[in-house]
Structure formats: structure tokens, C-alpha cells
Amino acid sequence: MAAGYKTVEPLEYYRKFLKQSCRPDGRGLSEFRITTINVGSITTADGSALVKLGNCTVICGIKAEFANPAADAPDKGYIVPNVDLTPLCSSRFRPGPPGEEAQVASQFIADLTWVLYCDLICLDYDGNLLDACVCALVAALRNVQLPSVKISEDTGLAQVDLSTKSPLKILKKPVSTSFAVLDDTYIVVDPTDEEESLATGLLTVVTDEDGKLCTIRKPGGSSLSAERLQECISRAVSRHKEVQALLDEVLLSVKTL
Amino acid sequence: MEEPGLREIGCEQSPLSRPDGSATFMQGDTSVLAGVYGPAEIKFSREIYDKSTVEVMVRPKVGLPAIQEKNQEQLIRETCESVILGTLHPRTSITIVLQVINDGGSLLACFLNAACMGMMDAGLPMRAMFCGVTCVLDSDGQLTIDPTTKEQKESRAVLTFAIESTEKRILTISSRGVYSTAELQRCIAAAQLSAQKIFHFYRDSAKRRYSKS
């Protein structure tokens, strides 16, 4: 019965739950789905991570390569992020060139003259793609082990010493938190695919470990007052602590192995 | 309180004859030409049964649109969708084409303003107007409204807001760089103040156009 009601009147179905400050999957309005992080999942990559937010699964692999530095920043390496949304993860995506959503996600995601190719592949799409991507990227970057390199003086060629490896220095550890506005009034955190499609507005806040903001992205939708925005930012800061603790724990467990 | 210094703004309405509505918007050296078509017929596969399909195309000055333009297109489209009363024209398409004429900084804000003026010129039903405002924060935390390309490059953070006209609430935010929550609130307050000026400008230019001439 409930399933039929949900199919016919999805918004009304959600309203019934939201009035009681909960969601059909049993979460409160500001509650995340269970987050699982696994680092070093791909042994052939220089760094990798698999992140699950409920059903939403994203895997990130990082490949390091030598390249000429960009002309405008000769002392810096650069990263090439790429997000793949394949037809495997949801029927919404068709094979072919990357769609708009994938391109937007790629744009969203920033020493040495290393190029880091960061490929993120979504395995199972269930909303909140950006959070999962950012989390997977950061976890994978922290997992990267670069071999030491010496430039030989006689030949001018680089010699790679695979025996000594050093981790990347990560300056910031951003964590992203997404919100969906339902019915112009209710703000729910970590929306599922269903919630995203019913939402009247979306908002993503990225914070760093000092509680500063790295990025806010709100593409149109319901307008928000500065106060409502502040509530979302506070939630994002507390979420950062949760993810940070989880990440530290996972990375530590890998090292001790 | 910093003086919100917008560069000089200018606008030409209906510069093009073929589109249903068009507008050129200038902010200092930045200028954007917008053409709006619609509500018009739509391919069956793209039609939405209860509202109009909004499409935004951003054309850079040289070359083909790349990923960055796609990102801007999405931001502008969602902003326009949230003010257009699309339910009045179900199963139709509304196309907004934005051509960069010159980029002198605050391009996204100029896109938004040109799009809004273009939609107004096309006579699309909207529940509110909106305008785009860009702020930058430099390393000392100094706030500059409507920056030039140079100011944008030297800054620590760039924030672009779309603000709607009825309650001055925030429709869209897009930002780059690191800043604190207090700085964000300061930027919002400054952007809302500047938005007031832009809405005044909208009103004046519409008045000029529709008063007897």
C-alpha cells in the first residue's frame, strides 16, 4: 500500500514524514547515511579509495606521471580530475561522451612536477555524488605514495627509486556536505537520489579543518536567507569532524598493517 | 562598512531583431550579449509535461564551450528556472544564449544580469527578478565588489551570488578560495546592498524603454 502511494504521490509521501522530522529511510533531517571508507583498494594505482554513503558508491584511483609544468606555475604540479558516471551506476546515464552532470562534478573538484590523474568512477548512484567524490578524492590523495626521484647529472634523465616512497603533503583536507531543500522549507542533509529529484533546491558546502569554507555551491532553486545558510554551515563543520575522525582511523589502520 | 563600489553599468535592450528578447549588459569592461527564444516548440524527447524546459548556452569569445562553461551554464539555468513561471507554458522550450563580448572580470555576474534583462525583454512570466554580484576577498580580508580580472586573480577568494528582488534572498552561490563564515556573511550583506542598486538600474532602463520616445 505504502509503495503504491509513494509511486503515485511521491511528494505527499515525503511530506508526511518530514512533518514528523524524519525521513522514509529512518534518518532524522540532519543525519547522514552510514559512511564507509576503504583506502588502498586498487593495488596497481598510486593511491586509491572506495567510499560508500549508504548505497552511493564512488571509487577513486590516482595515477602519478611526470609532465612538463604548466607555463604559468613552473614550480607546481597539477591534478587532472575526472568523474565518470557510467550507465552501470544508474539508468539515468547513457554511454557516450560525459554528460553535463559529470562535467560539473569534474569542475568542482586542487608540488612537484607530478601530474596526478584522479579518476573517480561512480559505481552506484544514489544521490549526494559530490560528497562521495570529494571524500574519495581526499582519502585517495592521502593514500598516494610517490617514489623518490633523482635527476642524474650525466644524462639529465630522471631515475625512479621505487624502494623509498613518500606520502603526498596535503595542505588542506576538505570535506563536502550536501543539503537538499524540500518543499521550500525543510532542509535535509545527505539527500538520496529520490530526495534530490524531489528537491526544490540543492546546496553543497565544503569546509576545511579550521572550520573555514572552501566552496559553497548553490545552483538556483529555493532562495535561502543568510540565517538558514548559517545553519547549514554549522552542520557542515560538525560533519567535517565526523569524516575527519573516520578518515584518520582508516588511514592509521592501513599503516599499521 | 565598505563602500560597495560597482563599476559603471550599462544596458541595451533588443539589440537583435531575430530572438524574442535580447539585451547587452555591460559592467565596466565586461560585456555580455544575451538572446532569449521562447516559449517555443520542443523536441518530444526533451519536453517536460508540466513545465517549460529551460536551456542555457554560454558561448566564450574564442573557441568552443568547455567544462567551465558547462558549469556556468548549469548555475545560470537553475537560477533562471527558479524565477521563471514555467508551469504557465508546459511542453515548451525556453532557450537563453549568452555570448561573451569582453571579459573584464565578474563574468558570471554579468551573465546573470544579461540573462535577466534578456528574459525581461522577451516578456517571459517571472515571479521575481534576479541579479548577479561578484565579491572578492584579498589576503587582508578587504572586500571588493564587482572586481576586474586583475583583482580577481590577485584575490584569495571569489564569490558570486544571485539575489532575487522580492526579499533579497540568495538564489545561487558559487565560490572559489578559502574564507571564514564571518567573511561570507559580510559578502552576502555587501552583495545585497549592491543588488539594490542593480535592481534600481533595471527599473530605470525598463522605464526608459517603455516611456514614450
Side-chain angles (χ1 to χ4, degrees):
Chain A
M1 179 61 208
Y5 182 44
K6 188 178 165 189
T7 319
V8 181
E9 287 281 355
L11 197 55
E12 201 51 47
Y13 176 79
Y14 263 87
R15 275 188 199 133
K16 288 251 158 72
F17 283 93
L18 292 171
K19 258 185 213 142
Q20 309 292 327
S21 297
C22 70
R23 293 196 253 175
D25 51 6
R27 289 185 286 159
L29 297 189
S30 59
E31 204 177 318
F32 265 81
R33 285 172 287 179
I34 293 169
T35 313
T36 326
I37 303 174
N38 182 341
V39 295
S41 355
I42 311 172
T43 46
T44 48
D46 292 298
S48 59
L50 179 93
V51 168
K52 280 188 86 156
L53 269 175
N55 282 332
C56 187
T57 316
V58 172
I59 190 159
C60 175
I62 294 181
K63 187 162 77 95
E65 242 177 45
F66 269 131
N68 289 326
D72 56 343
D75 55 345
K76 283 184 186 162
Y78 50 96
I79 71 171
V80 183
N82 188 20
V83 180
D84 269 352
L85 296 174
T86 53
L88 175 75
C89 63
S90 169
S91 56
R92 291 229 314 271
F93 305 112
R94 300 257 165 255
E100 185 189 70
E101 194 173 355
Q103 292 187 32
V104 168
S106 303
Q107 172 78 15
F108 185 81
I109 306 243
D111 341 294
L112 293 152
T113 46
W114 286 100
V115 193
L116 299 176
Y117 288 99
C118 309
D119 287 309
L120 294 128
I121 300 175
C122 180
L123 299 177
D124 194 350
Y125 186 95
D126 193 13
N128 207 358
L129 178 74
L130 288 178
D131 285 14
C133 282
V134 171
C135 190
L137 181 62
V138 172
L141 280 174
R142 290 179 68 177
N143 178 239
V144 168
Q145 298 281 333
L146 289 179
S148 68
V149 175
K150 281 193 196 114
I151 308 285
S152 125
E153 281 175 19
D154 338 320
T155 55
L157 290 174
Q159 287 177 332
V160 181
D161 180 7
L162 287 169
S163 56
T164 50
K165 289 191 170 183
S166 58
L168 273 183
K169 266 191 200 143
I170 310 278
L171 298 173
K172 288 221 181 294
K173 302 172 191 109
V175 170
S176 127
T177 312
S178 292
F179 302 87
V181 187
L182 289 163
D183 240 4
D184 287 329
T185 39
Y186 302 101
I187 296 183
V188 299
V189 82
D190 187 20
T192 60
D193 193 19
E194 270 168 26
E195 284 162 346
E196 271 181 6
S197 57
L198 291 172
T200 50
L202 296 169
L203 168 72
T204 303
V205 181
V206 182
T207 53
D208 70 1
E209 58 274 27
D210 306 325
K212 288 205 170 176
L213 302 163
C214 298
T215 296
I216 300 186
R217 183 184 162 80
K218 180 183 183 308
S222 314
S223 56
L224 288 180
S225 61
E227 293 78 46
R228 293 302 290 277
L229 205 58
Q230 190 61 48
E231 286 169 27
C232 294
I233 293 169
S234 314
R235 178 67 186 105
V237 171
S238 67
R239 167 70 179 168
H240 189 281
K241 295 204 180 86
E242 293 166 24
V243 174
Q244 202 61 55
L246 187 64
L247 256 178
D248 286 339
E249 194 184 316
V250 171
L251 287 164
L252 201 70
S253 71
V254 171
K255 276 194 197 109
T256 49
L257 278 178
Chain B
M1 188 75 225
E2 288 103 328
E3 179 64 28
L6 284 169
R7 290 173 295 173
E8 201 170 321
I9 44 182
C11 171
E12 188 188 344
Q13 287 173 80
S14 306
L16 306 175
S17 64
R18 302 299 300 175
D20 298 314
S22 59
T24 321
F25 202 90
M26 288 154 274
Q27 288 176 249
D29 292 335
T30 311
S31 93
V32 169
L33 176 63
V36 179
Y37 296 88
E41 206 179 326
I42 188 173
K43 245 201 283 175
F44 180 74
S45 59
R46 299 181 31 80
E47 83 175 24
I48 305 174
Y49 71 92
D50 61 349
K51 62 175 184 178
S52 54
T53 308
V54 180
E55 202 181 351
V56 173
M57 283 185 250
V58 168
R59 310 289 309 184
K61 201 159 69 172
V62 282
L64 289 169
I67 295 181
Q68 199 196 338
E69 277 78 22
K70 277 269 178 255
N71 188 16
Q72 288 172 335
E73 277 174 12
Q74 195 205 25
L75 282 169
I76 300 163
R77 192 190 63 229
E78 303 264 345
T79 313
C80 294
E81 259 177 12
S82 62
V83 296
I84 295 174
L85 297 169
T87 40
L88 294 180
H89 302 286
R91 301 193 202 94
T92 58
S93 83
I94 293 172
T95 311
I96 302 166
V97 187
L98 295 159
Q99 170 70 53
V100 182
I101 295 175
N102 191 31
D103 180 8
S106 314
L107 187 63
L108 182 56
C110 197
F111 276 143
L112 289 163
N113 292 332
C116 188
M117 285 301 260
M119 293 197 301
M120 189 159 66
D121 191 53
L124 290 179
M126 287 149 79
R127 66 170 179 83
M129 310 285 290
F130 64 86
C131 72
V133 184
T134 302
C135 318
V136 294
L137 291 160
D138 65 13
S139 42
D140 317 325
Q142 184 78 27
L143 194 156
T144 315
I145 290 270
D146 197 17
T148 58
T149 318
K150 186 164 166 275
E151 285 169 326
Q152 232 166 314
K153 264 197 187 131
E154 288 165 357
S155 66
R156 171 169 54 103
V158 183
L159 298 101
T160 303
F161 302 96
I163 292 168
E164 51 104 37
S165 59
T166 48
E167 289 169 75
K168 308 284 174 294
R169 294 210 287 187
I170 302 146
L171 282 175
T172 302
I173 308 179
S174 161
S175 78
R176 188 184 57 77
V178 182
Y179 48 92
S180 70
T181 332
E183 284 169 332
L184 171 73
Q185 296 294 357
R186 237 174 69 212
C187 287
I188 292 176
Q192 282 170 333
L193 221 59
S194 306
Q196 205 96 5
K197 291 192 179 174
I198 297 174
F199 290 131
H200 264 289
F201 173 79
Y202 281 176
R203 181 174 286 271
D204 287 346
S205 51
K207 213 190 257 171
R208 263 202 306 280
R209 175 159 155 70
Y210 292 108
S211 59
K212 57 178 173 25
S213 53

